Amino acid sequence: MTQGPTPALYAARGPDDLEVARIRKELEESRCIVVAGRTEDWWPHGTGPDAEDVRVLLGADRARADRQPTPERRIRFIVSRLMLRATAGALLGADPALFEVAYTVTGRPYLRGCDELDISVGDCEGLVAVGLMDGGRVGVDVAPLQPPPLRLPSVEHLLTRHELDRLHAARPSARHPLLLRFLTLKNSYAKAMGSGRRIPYADFGVATDRDGCHLMGKDGRFYVPGFGAASNNFGSTHLISATGVAKSG
């Protein structure tokens, strides 16, 4: 079986904490990386940024920042754009201020003028993660590790029979972490493909074995080539799942 691009996760406490040589090497080898950091580390300014800061930092993205429903969401949005620019600049050896985030007709972000470098953003309660992939599609999803437990009957329609069987076979204490992993991996794949929920989540599954994560049909019997995924805890607070999908041909 051909291994797909498996995202590598790196934590960074700010632009100066990016391990440039390491992430460049990882992008060259695996083609897909995820950089994550806490908003308080990337924006240690106490209250939110003033209007002039936002204008300089975000440019055309200022309007999107202003539409965020809460101050905390606004700062997360700003940090996500800072992190995208800083990581792309470190990878490509360019001034981060030169990168402009634009959007497809479906709202999916991309870096204008960087056609081969795909991007994705995930954020949740004080944490931001950005994914970058060379020559493919990447999706990132972030979730808190300790939300109120998800009730299986309310999400059964999002899972394949194979995934439901795995959940029922798991120890009770392991079911919520496994369910969270399934759902965030599915979310990351949907973001990578730009499909949202247009592809029913019960029509595809995520399986793991000694070779890593694989995308499977809903019957659990076949693998989809060119797919790689990873799901890792960020400290004790968040789960980050990412998917890389290689271009065919």
Side-chain angles (χ1 to χ4, degrees), residues 8-218:
L9 173 65
Y10 296 94
R13 293 184 295 273
D16 295 335
D17 193 43
L18 289 169
E19 300 178 69
V20 177
R22 186 180 176 193
I23 62 176
R24 281 179 179 173
K25 184 174 185 294
E26 189 64 52
L27 187 69
E28 182 179 339
E29 293 179 351
S30 67
R31 299 163 54 197
C32 191
I33 64 165
V34 177
V35 173
R38 300 191 186 281
T39 54
E40 62 190 23
D41 292 329
W42 281 76
W43 193 266
H45 299 286
T47 58
D50 61 31
E52 181 61 17
D53 286 334
V54 175
R55 185 188 69 78
V56 173
L57 291 169
L58 299 186
D61 250 348
R62 177 181 175 178
R64 286 179 179 261
D66 290 341
R67 289 197 297 269
Q68 299 304 307
T70 66
E72 197 273 339
R73 287 283 298 274
R74 186 167 182 260
I75 291 177
R76 284 208 317 257
F77 180 87
I78 292 168
V79 166
S80 73
R81 271 50 189 173
L82 284 172
M83 195 179 292
L84 272 173
R85 289 185 171 94
T87 305
L91 287 170
L92 301 178
D95 182 350
L98 297 176
F99 293 96
E100 179 185 352
V101 180
Y103 300 87
T104 68
V105 293
T106 62
R108 194 170 189 274
Y110 66 94
L111 293 176
R112 193 182 299 278
C114 299
D115 295 341
E116 289 301 310
L117 193 64
D118 195 57
I119 62 172
S120 181
V121 177
D123 64 84
C124 178
E125 297 179 7
L127 186 77
V128 174
V130 300
L132 298 95
M133 182 170 177
D134 183 17
R137 303 292 293 271
V138 62
V140 178
D141 193 50
V142 181
L145 283 171
Q146 300 297 333
L150 294 165
R151 296 185 179 276
L152 186 56
S154 68
V155 296
E156 283 184 333
H157 65 289
L158 302 176
L159 303 171
T160 67
R161 173 51 55 189
H162 178 76
E163 290 166 335
L164 286 169
D165 289 344
R166 283 196 60 190
L167 282 169
H168 289 304
R171 301 188 313 276
S173 62
R175 287 174 186 161
H176 180 72
L178 183 59
L179 176 58
L180 193 64
R181 189 165 183 263
F182 283 152
L183 293 178
T184 55
L185 282 167
K186 285 170 180 274
N187 285 341
S188 71
Y189 176 71
K191 290 175 75 171
M193 302 309 294
S195 62
R197 292 288 179 86
R198 291 190 295 276
I199 301 176
Y201 277 21
D203 284 357
F204 67 94
V206 178
T208 58
D209 57 29
R210 67 185 64 186
D211 294 322
C213 290
H214 308 285
L215 187 69
M216 305 181 72
K218 62 182 178 181

